[in-house]
Coordinates of all heavy atoms in Angstrom, one line a residue:
M1 N -47.1 -36.3 -146.9 CA -46.4 -35.7 -147.9 C -46.3 -34.2 -147.6 O -47.2 -33.6 -147.1 CB -47.2 -35.8 -149.3 CG -47.1 -37.2 -149.9 SD -45.4 -37.6 -150.4 CE -45.4 -36.7 -152.0
T2 N -45.2 -33.6 -147.9 CA -45.0 -32.2 -147.7 C -44.9 -31.5 -149.1 O -44.7 -32.1 -150.1 CB -43.7 -31.9 -147.0 OG1 -42.6 -32.4 -147.8 CG2 -43.7 -32.6 -145.6
D3 N -45.1 -30.2 -149.1 CA -45.1 -29.4 -150.3 C -43.7 -29.0 -150.7 O -43.4 -28.5 -151.8 CB -46.0 -28.2 -150.2 CG -47.4 -28.6 -150.2 OD1 -47.8 -29.7 -150.7 OD2 -48.3 -27.8 -149.6
R4 N -42.7 -29.2 -149.8 CA -41.4 -28.8 -150.0 C -40.7 -29.6 -151.1 O -40.8 -30.8 -151.1 CB -40.6 -29.0 -148.7 CG -39.3 -28.1 -148.6 CD -38.9 -28.0 -147.1 NE -38.7 -29.3 -146.5 CZ -37.5 -29.9 -146.4 NH1 -36.5 -29.3 -146.9 NH2 -37.4 -31.1 -145.9
P5 N -40.2 -28.9 -152.1 CA -39.6 -29.6 -153.2 C -38.3 -30.3 -152.8 O -37.6 -29.8 -151.9 CB -39.2 -28.5 -154.3 CG -39.2 -27.2 -153.5 CD -40.1 -27.4 -152.3
R6 N -38.1 -31.5 -153.3 CA -36.9 -32.3 -152.9 C -35.7 -31.9 -153.7 O -34.6 -32.1 -153.2 CB -37.2 -33.8 -153.1 CG -38.3 -34.3 -152.2 CD -38.7 -35.7 -152.6 NE -37.6 -36.6 -152.4 CZ -37.6 -37.8 -152.8 NH1 -38.6 -38.3 -153.5 NH2 -36.6 -38.6 -152.6
F7 N -35.8 -31.3 -154.9 CA -34.7 -31.0 -155.7 C -34.8 -29.5 -156.1 O -35.9 -29.0 -156.3 CB -34.6 -31.9 -156.9 CG -34.4 -33.3 -156.6 CD1 -35.5 -34.2 -156.7 CD2 -33.2 -33.8 -156.1 CE1 -35.4 -35.5 -156.3 CE2 -33.1 -35.1 -155.8 CZ -34.1 -36.0 -155.9
H8 N -33.7 -28.8 -156.2 CA -33.7 -27.5 -156.6 C -32.9 -27.4 -157.9 O -31.8 -28.0 -158.0 CB -33.1 -26.5 -155.6 CG -33.8 -26.6 -154.3 ND1 -34.9 -25.8 -154.0 CD2 -33.6 -27.3 -153.2 CE1 -35.4 -26.1 -152.8 NE2 -34.6 -27.0 -152.3
I9 N -33.4 -26.6 -158.9 CA -32.6 -26.4 -160.1 C -31.7 -25.2 -160.0 O -32.2 -24.1 -159.5 CB -33.6 -26.2 -161.3 CG1 -34.5 -27.5 -161.5 CG2 -32.9 -25.9 -162.6 CD1 -35.7 -27.3 -162.4
I10 N -30.5 -25.4 -160.3 CA -29.5 -24.3 -160.3 C -29.1 -24.0 -161.7 O -29.1 -24.9 -162.5 CB -28.3 -24.5 -159.4 CG1 -27.5 -25.8 -159.9 CG2 -28.7 -24.7 -157.9 CD1 -26.1 -25.8 -159.3
H11 N -28.8 -22.8 -162.0 CA -28.5 -22.4 -163.4 C -27.0 -22.2 -163.5 O -26.5 -21.1 -163.5 CB -29.2 -21.1 -163.7 CG -30.7 -21.3 -163.7 ND1 -31.4 -22.0 -164.8 CD2 -31.7 -21.1 -162.8 CE1 -32.6 -22.1 -164.5 NE2 -32.9 -21.5 -163.3
G12 N -26.3 -23.3 -163.6 CA -24.8 -23.2 -164.0 C -24.0 -22.5 -162.9 O -22.9 -22.0 -163.3
T13 N -24.4 -22.5 -161.7 CA -23.6 -21.9 -160.7 C -22.4 -22.7 -160.4 O -22.6 -23.9 -160.1 CB -24.4 -21.7 -159.4 OG1 -25.7 -21.1 -159.7 CG2 -23.7 -20.8 -158.4
P14 N -21.2 -22.2 -160.4 CA -20.0 -23.0 -160.1 C -20.0 -23.4 -158.6 O -20.7 -22.8 -157.8 CB -18.8 -22.1 -160.5 CG -19.4 -20.7 -160.4 CD -20.8 -20.8 -160.7
A15 N -19.3 -24.5 -158.4 CA -19.1 -25.0 -157.0 C -18.5 -23.8 -156.1 O -17.7 -23.1 -156.6 CB -18.2 -26.2 -157.0
P16 N -18.9 -23.7 -154.9 CA -18.4 -22.7 -154.1 C -16.9 -22.8 -153.9 O -16.3 -23.9 -153.8 CB -19.1 -22.9 -152.7 CG -19.7 -24.2 -152.8 CD -19.9 -24.5 -154.2
Q17 N -16.2 -21.7 -154.0 CA -14.7 -21.7 -154.0 C -14.2 -21.8 -152.6 O -13.5 -20.9 -152.1 CB -14.2 -20.4 -154.7 CG -14.2 -20.5 -156.2 CD -13.4 -21.6 -156.8 OE1 -12.2 -21.7 -156.6 NE2 -14.0 -22.5 -157.5
T18 N -14.4 -23.0 -152.0 CA -13.8 -23.2 -150.7 C -12.4 -23.8 -150.9 O -12.0 -24.1 -152.0 CB -14.7 -24.2 -149.9 OG1 -14.7 -25.5 -150.7 CG2 -16.1 -23.8 -149.7
E19 N -11.7 -23.8 -149.8 CA -10.3 -24.3 -149.9 C -10.3 -25.8 -150.3 O -9.5 -26.2 -151.2 CB -9.6 -24.2 -148.5 CG -9.2 -22.8 -148.1 CD -8.2 -22.3 -149.2 OE1 -7.2 -22.9 -149.5 OE2 -8.4 -21.1 -149.6
A20 N -11.2 -26.6 -149.8 CA -11.3 -28.0 -150.2 C -11.6 -28.1 -151.7 O -11.0 -29.0 -152.4 CB -12.3 -28.7 -149.3
E21 N -12.5 -27.3 -152.2 CA -12.9 -27.4 -153.6 C -11.7 -27.0 -154.5 O -11.5 -27.6 -155.5 CB -14.1 -26.5 -153.9 CG -14.7 -26.7 -155.2 CD -15.0 -28.1 -155.6 OE1 -15.6 -28.8 -154.7 OE2 -14.7 -28.5 -156.7
K22 N -10.9 -26.0 -154.0 CA -9.7 -25.6 -154.8 C -8.7 -26.8 -154.9 O -8.1 -27.0 -155.9 CB -9.0 -24.4 -154.1 CG -9.7 -23.1 -154.5 CD -9.0 -21.9 -153.8 CE -9.8 -20.7 -153.8 NZ -9.3 -19.7 -152.9
V23 N -8.6 -27.5 -153.8 CA -7.6 -28.6 -153.8 C -8.1 -29.7 -154.7 O -7.4 -30.2 -155.5 CB -7.4 -29.1 -152.4 CG1 -6.7 -30.5 -152.4 CG2 -6.7 -28.1 -151.5
R24 N -9.4 -30.0 -154.7 CA -10.0 -31.0 -155.5 C -9.8 -30.6 -157.0 O -9.5 -31.5 -157.8 CB -11.5 -31.1 -155.3 CG -11.8 -32.0 -154.1 CD -13.3 -32.2 -153.9 NE -13.6 -32.3 -152.5 CZ -14.4 -31.4 -151.9 NH1 -15.0 -30.4 -152.5 NH2 -14.6 -31.6 -150.6
E25 N -10.0 -29.3 -157.3 CA -9.8 -28.9 -158.7 C -8.4 -29.1 -159.2 O -8.1 -29.5 -160.3 CB -10.2 -27.4 -158.8 CG -10.6 -27.0 -160.2 CD -11.4 -25.7 -160.2 OE1 -12.5 -25.6 -159.5 OE2 -10.8 -24.7 -160.7
R26 N -7.5 -28.7 -158.3 CA -6.0 -28.8 -158.6 C -5.7 -30.3 -158.8 O -5.0 -30.6 -159.8 CB -5.2 -28.2 -157.5 CG -3.7 -28.2 -157.7 CD -3.0 -27.3 -156.7 NE -3.4 -27.6 -155.3 CZ -2.8 -28.5 -154.6 NH1 -1.8 -29.2 -155.1 NH2 -3.2 -28.8 -153.4
V27 N -6.2 -31.1 -158.0 CA -5.9 -32.6 -158.1 C -6.5 -33.1 -159.4 O -5.8 -33.9 -160.1 CB -6.4 -33.3 -156.9 CG1 -6.3 -34.8 -157.1 CG2 -5.6 -32.9 -155.6
R28 N -7.7 -32.7 -159.7 CA -8.3 -33.2 -161.0 C -7.5 -32.8 -162.2 O -7.5 -33.5 -163.2 CB -9.8 -32.7 -161.0 CG -10.8 -33.6 -160.4 CD -12.2 -33.1 -160.7 NE -13.0 -33.1 -159.5 CZ -13.5 -32.0 -158.9 NH1 -13.3 -30.8 -159.4 NH2 -14.3 -32.2 -157.8
K29 N -7.0 -31.5 -162.1 CA -6.3 -31.0 -163.3 C -4.8 -31.5 -163.4 O -4.2 -31.2 -164.4 CB -6.3 -29.5 -163.3 CG -7.7 -28.9 -163.7 CD -7.7 -27.4 -163.6 CE -9.1 -26.9 -164.0 NZ -9.2 -25.5 -163.7
A30 N -4.4 -32.1 -162.4 CA -3.0 -32.6 -162.3 C -2.8 -33.6 -163.5 O -3.7 -34.3 -163.9 CB -2.7 -33.2 -161.0
P31 N -1.5 -33.6 -164.1 CA -1.3 -34.5 -165.1 C -1.5 -36.0 -164.7 O -1.2 -36.3 -163.6 CB 0.2 -34.3 -165.5 CG 0.7 -33.4 -164.4 CD -0.4 -32.8 -163.7
K32 N -2.1 -36.7 -165.6 CA -2.5 -38.1 -165.3 C -1.6 -39.1 -166.0 O -1.8 -39.2 -167.2 CB -4.0 -38.3 -165.7 CG -4.9 -37.4 -164.9 CD -6.4 -37.6 -165.5 CE -7.4 -36.7 -164.9 NZ -7.1 -35.3 -165.3
P33 N -0.7 -39.7 -165.3 CA 0.1 -40.7 -166.0 C -0.8 -41.9 -166.4 O -1.7 -42.3 -165.6 CB 1.1 -41.2 -164.9 CG 1.0 -40.2 -163.8 CD -0.4 -39.5 -163.9
R34 N -0.7 -42.4 -167.6 CA -1.6 -43.5 -168.1 C -1.5 -44.7 -167.2 O -2.5 -45.4 -167.0 CB -1.1 -43.9 -169.5 CG -1.7 -43.0 -170.6 CD -3.2 -43.4 -170.9 NE -4.0 -42.2 -170.8 CZ -5.2 -42.1 -170.1 NH1 -5.6 -43.2 -169.5 NH2 -5.9 -41.1 -170.1
T35 N -0.3 -44.9 -166.6 CA -0.2 -46.2 -165.9 C -0.8 -46.1 -164.5 O -0.8 -47.0 -163.7 CB 1.3 -46.5 -165.7 OG1 2.0 -45.4 -165.2 CG2 1.9 -46.9 -167.1
M36 N -1.2 -44.9 -164.1 CA -1.7 -44.7 -162.8 C -3.1 -44.2 -162.8 O -3.4 -43.1 -163.1 CB -0.8 -43.6 -162.1 CG -0.7 -43.7 -160.6 SD 0.5 -42.6 -160.0 CE 0.3 -42.7 -158.3
P37 N -4.1 -45.1 -162.5 CA -5.5 -44.7 -162.5 C -5.8 -43.7 -161.5 O -5.2 -43.6 -160.4 CB -6.2 -46.1 -162.2 CG -5.2 -46.9 -161.5 CD -3.9 -46.5 -162.0
Q38 N -6.8 -42.9 -161.8 CA -7.2 -41.8 -160.9 C -8.7 -41.9 -160.8 O -9.5 -42.0 -161.7 CB -6.7 -40.5 -161.4 CG -7.1 -39.4 -160.4 CD -6.5 -38.0 -160.9 OE1 -6.4 -37.8 -162.1 NE2 -6.2 -37.2 -160.0
C39 N -9.2 -41.6 -159.6 CA -10.6 -41.6 -159.3 C -11.2 -40.3 -159.9 O -10.7 -39.2 -159.7 CB -10.9 -41.6 -157.8 SG -12.7 -41.5 -157.4
H40 N -12.3 -40.5 -160.7 CA -12.9 -39.3 -161.4 C -13.7 -38.5 -160.4 O -14.0 -37.3 -160.7 CB -13.7 -39.7 -162.5 CG -14.9 -40.6 -162.2 ND1 -16.1 -40.0 -161.7 CD2 -15.0 -41.9 -162.1 CE1 -16.9 -41.0 -161.5 NE2 -16.3 -42.2 -161.7
R41 N -14.0 -39.0 -159.2 CA -14.8 -38.3 -158.3 C -14.0 -37.5 -157.3 O -14.2 -36.3 -157.1 CB -15.7 -39.3 -157.5 CG -16.7 -38.5 -156.7 CD -17.8 -39.3 -156.1 NE -18.6 -39.9 -157.1 CZ -19.6 -40.7 -156.8 NH1 -19.9 -41.0 -155.6 NH2 -20.4 -41.2 -157.7
C42 N -13.0 -38.2 -156.6 CA -12.2 -37.5 -155.6 C -10.8 -37.2 -156.0 O -10.1 -36.5 -155.3 CB -12.2 -38.3 -154.3 SG -11.2 -39.8 -154.4
G43 N -10.4 -37.7 -157.2 CA -9.0 -37.5 -157.6 C -8.0 -38.4 -157.0 O -6.8 -38.2 -157.2
G44 N -8.4 -39.3 -156.1 CA -7.5 -40.2 -155.5 C -6.9 -41.2 -156.4 O -7.4 -41.5 -157.4
R45 N -5.7 -41.7 -156.1 CA -5.0 -42.6 -156.9 C -4.9 -44.0 -156.2 O -4.3 -44.9 -156.7 CB -3.6 -42.1 -157.3 CG -3.7 -40.9 -158.2 CD -2.3 -40.7 -158.8 NE -2.3 -39.4 -159.5 CZ -2.7 -39.3 -160.8 NH1 -3.2 -40.3 -161.4 NH2 -2.6 -38.1 -161.3
E46 N -5.4 -44.1 -155.0 CA -5.3 -45.4 -154.3 C -6.6 -46.2 -154.6 O -7.7 -45.7 -154.5 CB -5.3 -45.0 -152.8 CG -4.8 -46.2 -152.0 CD -4.6 -45.7 -150.5 OE1 -4.9 -44.6 -150.2 OE2 -4.1 -46.6 -149.7
Y47 N -6.4 -47.5 -154.9 CA -7.6 -48.3 -155.2 C -7.4 -49.7 -154.6 O -6.3 -50.1 -154.3 CB -7.8 -48.4 -156.7 CG -6.7 -49.1 -157.5 CD1 -6.7 -50.4 -157.6 CD2 -5.7 -48.3 -158.1 CE1 -5.6 -51.1 -158.3 CE2 -4.7 -48.9 -158.8 CZ -4.7 -50.3 -158.9 OH -3.7 -50.9 -159.6
V48 N -8.5 -50.3 -154.5 CA -8.5 -51.7 -154.1 C -9.1 -52.5 -155.3 O -10.0 -52.0 -156.0 CB -9.4 -52.0 -152.8 CG1 -8.6 -51.5 -151.6 CG2 -10.7 -51.3 -152.9
E49 N -8.6 -53.7 -155.5 CA -9.1 -54.5 -156.6 C -10.1 -55.5 -156.1 O -9.9 -56.2 -155.1 CB -7.9 -55.3 -157.2 CG -8.3 -55.8 -158.6 CD -7.0 -56.4 -159.3 OE1 -6.5 -57.4 -158.8 OE2 -6.6 -55.7 -160.2
T50 N -11.3 -55.5 -156.7 CA -12.3 -56.4 -156.3 C -12.4 -57.5 -157.3 O -12.1 -57.3 -158.5 CB -13.7 -55.7 -156.1 OG1 -14.1 -55.2 -157.4 CG2 -13.7 -54.6 -155.2
K51 N -12.9 -58.6 -156.9 CA -13.0 -59.8 -157.8 C -14.3 -60.5 -157.6 O -14.7 -60.7 -156.4 CB -11.8 -60.7 -157.4 CG -11.2 -61.4 -158.5 CD -10.1 -62.4 -157.9 CE -8.9 -62.5 -158.8 NZ -8.0 -63.4 -158.3
I52 N -14.9 -60.8 -158.7 CA -16.1 -61.6 -158.6 C -15.9 -62.8 -159.4 O -15.4 -62.8 -160.5 CB -17.3 -60.8 -159.3 CG1 -17.6 -59.5 -158.6 CG2 -18.6 -61.7 -159.2 CD1 -18.5 -58.6 -159.3
G53 N -16.1 -64.0 -158.8 CA -15.8 -65.2 -159.5 C -14.5 -65.7 -159.1 O -13.8 -65.2 -158.3
I54 N -14.0 -66.8 -159.9 CA -12.8 -67.4 -159.5 C -12.1 -67.9 -160.8 O -12.7 -68.1 -161.8 CB -13.0 -68.6 -158.5 CG1 -11.7 -69.0 -157.9 CG2 -13.7 -69.8 -159.2 CD1 -11.9 -69.7 -156.6
G55 N -10.7 -67.9 -160.8 CA -10.0 -68.4 -161.9 C -10.1 -67.5 -163.1 O -10.1 -66.2 -163.0
K56 N -10.2 -68.1 -164.3 CA -10.2 -67.3 -165.6 C -11.5 -66.5 -165.8 O -11.5 -65.6 -166.5 CB -10.0 -68.3 -166.8 CG -8.5 -68.6 -167.0 CD -8.4 -69.5 -168.2 CE -6.9 -69.9 -168.4 NZ -6.8 -70.9 -169.4
T57 N -12.5 -67.0 -165.1 CA -13.8 -66.3 -165.3 C -14.0 -65.1 -164.4 O -15.1 -64.5 -164.4 CB -15.0 -67.3 -165.2 OG1 -14.9 -67.9 -163.9 CG2 -15.0 -68.4 -166.2
A58 N -13.1 -64.9 -163.5 CA -13.2 -63.9 -162.5 C -13.2 -62.5 -163.2 O -12.5 -62.2 -164.2 CB -12.1 -63.9 -161.5
T59 N -14.1 -61.6 -162.7 CA -14.2 -60.2 -163.1 C -13.5 -59.4 -162.1 O -13.9 -59.4 -160.9 CB -15.6 -59.8 -163.3 OG1 -16.3 -60.7 -164.2 CG2 -15.7 -58.4 -163.8
K60 N -12.5 -58.6 -162.5 CA -11.8 -57.8 -161.6 C -12.2 -56.3 -161.9 O -12.4 -55.9 -163.0 CB -10.3 -57.9 -161.8 CG -9.7 -59.2 -161.3 CD -8.2 -59.1 -161.5 CE -7.6 -60.5 -161.3 NZ -6.1 -60.5 -161.7
Q61 N -12.3 -55.6 -160.8 CA -12.6 -54.2 -161.0 C -11.7 -53.4 -159.9 O -11.5 -53.9 -158.8 CB -14.0 -53.9 -160.7 CG -14.8 -54.0 -162.0 CD -16.3 -53.8 -161.9 OE1 -16.8 -54.0 -160.8 NE2 -16.9 -53.3 -162.9
R62 N -11.3 -52.2 -160.3 CA -10.6 -51.3 -159.4 C -11.5 -50.3 -158.9 O -12.1 -49.5 -159.6 CB -9.4 -50.6 -160.2 CG -8.3 -51.6 -160.6 CD -7.2 -51.0 -161.3 NE -7.8 -50.4 -162.5 CZ -7.0 -50.1 -163.6 NH1 -5.8 -50.4 -163.6 NH2 -7.6 -49.5 -164.6
V63 N -11.6 -50.3 -157.6 CA -12.6 -49.4 -156.9 C -11.7 -48.4 -156.0 O -10.8 -48.8 -155.4 CB -13.5 -50.2 -156.0 CG1 -14.4 -49.3 -155.2 CG2 -14.3 -51.2 -156.8
C64 N -12.1 -47.2 -156.1 CA -11.4 -46.1 -155.4 C -11.5 -46.4 -153.9 O -12.5 -46.6 -153.4 CB -12.0 -44.8 -155.7 SG -11.3 -43.5 -154.7
F65 N -10.3 -46.5 -153.3 CA -10.3 -46.8 -151.9 C -10.8 -45.7 -151.0 O -11.6 -45.9 -150.1 CB -8.8 -47.1 -151.4 CG -8.7 -47.6 -150.0 CD1 -9.3 -48.7 -149.6 CD2 -8.1 -46.8 -149.1 CE1 -9.2 -49.1 -148.2 CE2 -7.9 -47.1 -147.8 CZ -8.5 -48.3 -147.3
L66 N -10.5 -44.5 -151.4 CA -11.0 -43.3 -150.6 C -12.5 -43.2 -150.6 O -13.1 -42.9 -149.6 CB -10.3 -42.0 -151.1 CG -8.8 -42.0 -151.0 CD1 -8.2 -40.8 -151.7 CD2 -8.3 -42.1 -149.6
C67 N -13.0 -43.4 -151.8 CA -14.5 -43.3 -152.0 C -15.1 -44.5 -151.2 O -16.2 -44.4 -150.6 CB -14.9 -43.3 -153.4 SG -14.6 -41.7 -154.2
A68 N -14.5 -45.7 -151.3 CA -15.0 -46.9 -150.7 C -15.1 -46.7 -149.2 O -16.0 -47.1 -148.5 CB -14.1 -48.1 -151.0
M69 N -14.1 -45.9 -148.6 CA -14.1 -45.6 -147.2 C -15.3 -44.8 -146.8 O -15.8 -44.8 -145.7 CB -12.9 -44.9 -146.8 CG -11.6 -45.7 -146.9 SD -11.4 -46.8 -145.5 CE -10.9 -45.7 -144.2
K70 N -15.8 -44.0 -147.8 CA -17.0 -43.2 -147.5 C -18.3 -43.9 -147.9 O -19.4 -43.3 -148.0 CB -16.9 -41.9 -148.3 CG -15.8 -40.9 -147.8 CD -15.8 -39.6 -148.6 CE -14.8 -39.7 -149.7 NZ -14.7 -38.5 -150.5
G71 N -18.2 -45.2 -148.3 CA -19.3 -46.0 -148.6 C -19.8 -45.8 -150.0 O -20.9 -46.2 -150.3
E72 N -18.9 -45.3 -150.9 CA -19.3 -45.2 -152.3 C -18.4 -46.1 -153.1 O -17.3 -46.3 -152.9 CB -19.1 -43.7 -152.8 CG -20.0 -42.8 -152.0 CD -20.0 -41.4 -152.6 OE1 -20.3 -41.3 -153.8 OE2 -19.5 -40.5 -151.9
R73 N -19.1 -46.7 -154.2 CA -18.3 -47.6 -155.0 C -18.1 -46.9 -156.4 O -19.0 -46.7 -157.2 CB -19.2 -48.8 -155.3 CG -18.5 -49.9 -156.0 CD -19.4 -51.2 -156.0 NE -18.6 -52.3 -156.5 CZ -18.4 -52.6 -157.8 NH1 -18.9 -51.8 -158.7 NH2 -17.7 -53.7 -158.1
V74 N -16.8 -46.4 -156.5 CA -16.5 -45.7 -157.7 C -15.4 -46.5 -158.4 O -14.3 -46.8 -157.9 CB -15.9 -44.3 -157.4 CG1 -15.5 -43.5 -158.7 CG2 -17.0 -43.5 -156.6
I75 N -15.7 -46.9 -159.6 CA -14.8 -47.7 -160.4 C -13.8 -46.8 -161.1 O -14.2 -45.8 -161.7 CB -15.6 -48.6 -161.4 CG1 -16.4 -49.6 -160.7 CG2 -14.6 -49.3 -162.4 CD1 -17.5 -50.3 -161.5
M76 N -12.5 -47.2 -161.0 CA -11.5 -46.4 -161.7 C -11.1 -47.0 -163.0 O -11.1 -48.1 -163.2 CB -10.3 -46.3 -160.7 CG -10.5 -45.4 -159.5 SD -9.3 -45.6 -158.2 CE -7.9 -44.7 -158.9
Ligands
ZN101 ZN1 -12.5 -41.6 -155.2

């Protein structure tokens, strides 16, 4: 065990204003058409539909494709 803390508390510091963060912010604030789902994490609109089960009992979920590529499962 080390004494180094694993988590640090920050006091409301905004995300660093990098170019990438500016783009993310712009995409998040872009108007959202109701018919077009958007990922709440990356702002992407591309999704894949996953299915558990078969027929009428199947559960479908829309998972962000961009996040899925990064190994994260974000439901849209
Ligand atoms: Zn995403």
Side-chain angles (χ1 to χ4, degrees):
M1 287 292 281
T2 62
D3 291 337
R4 201 158 57 94
R6 292 172 65 193
F7 300 103
H8 300 276
I9 296 167
I10 61 166
H11 296 283
T13 310
Q17 281 298 302
T18 60
E19 283 302 311
E21 188 55 44
K22 279 180 196 168
V23 171
R24 275 183 216 119
E25 203 165 298
R26 185 166 50 87
V27 170
R28 271 188 223 114
K29 283 178 181 170
K32 299 174 184 68
R34 276 281 128 228
T35 53
M36 207 172 171
Q38 183 178 30
C39 176
H40 61 85
R41 186 172 297 179
C42 71
R45 294 194 186 277
E46 197 174 5
Y47 63 86
V48 286
E49 196 171 70
T50 63
K51 216 182 214 184
I52 303 168
I54 196 159
K56 279 183 182 170
T57 57
T59 303
K60 286 183 194 172
Q61 273 177 333
R62 291 178 302 202
V63 177
C64 174
F65 182 66
L66 299 172
C67 287
M69 291 284 284
K70 289 183 264 177
E72 295 186 63
R73 189 174 190 276
V74 180
I75 293 164
M76 289 167 75

